[in-house]
Amino acid sequence: PSPRSYQPHGASEEALRYEIEELKQKDLALDQEIAQLLTEGYSLEELEKHISLLHEYNDIKDAGQMLLGKLAVIRGVTTKQLYPEYDLELSD
């Protein structure tokens, strides 16, 4: 159970209202960002393709990080110590 489930009913409603308002603001900001990109000449299809490629990149990067972590455990070193061996930057 989340900590919110232990809050008094009124406090929980207030927290939910605040969270809903924050989400509405984020939604508005994203809509504005999309509108800006559209005015810069991007198409929705192109934006969706970029988002899809970013998801794929992140999935591949996560898999690589997991493999590096397992290799580090096997070798008894830190993941950071493996980066130079594979010509990786710490910012990768």
Side-chain angles (χ1 to χ4, degrees):
S2 72
R4 287 188 182 149
S5 63
Y6 298 113
Q7 294 177 348
H9 183 66
S12 179
E13 279 188 37
E14 185 178 326
L16 286 174
R17 282 192 188 108
Y18 179 77
E19 195 172 336
I20 289 169
E21 189 56 39
E22 279 186 326
L23 290 172
K24 285 180 181 178
Q25 292 299 320
K26 285 181 183 179
D27 185 48
L28 178 62
L30 287 172
D31 286 344
Q32 290 171 342
E33 198 173 328
I34 289 169
Q36 176 64 35
L37 290 169
L38 292 173
T39 61
E40 291 174 9
Y42 293 96
S43 69
L44 285 177
E45 294 81 18
E46 187 178 8
L47 293 173
E48 288 172 4
K49 178 67 175 173
H50 282 282
I51 290 169
S52 175
L53 289 171
L54 283 171
H55 284 294
E56 185 177 347
Y57 167 81
N58 285 329
D59 290 343
I60 293 168
K61 184 177 177 181
D62 289 345
Q65 289 293 325
M66 192 170 49
L67 289 172
L68 275 176
K70 289 180 184 264
L71 183 59
V73 169
I74 291 168
R75 292 189 180 177
V77 298
T78 66
T79 304
K80 183 178 176 181
Q81 290 171 311
L82 293 176
Y83 273 55
E85 184 176 339
Y86 295 97
D87 295 323
L88 298 172
E89 298 290 327
L90 288 177
S91 60
D92 285 343

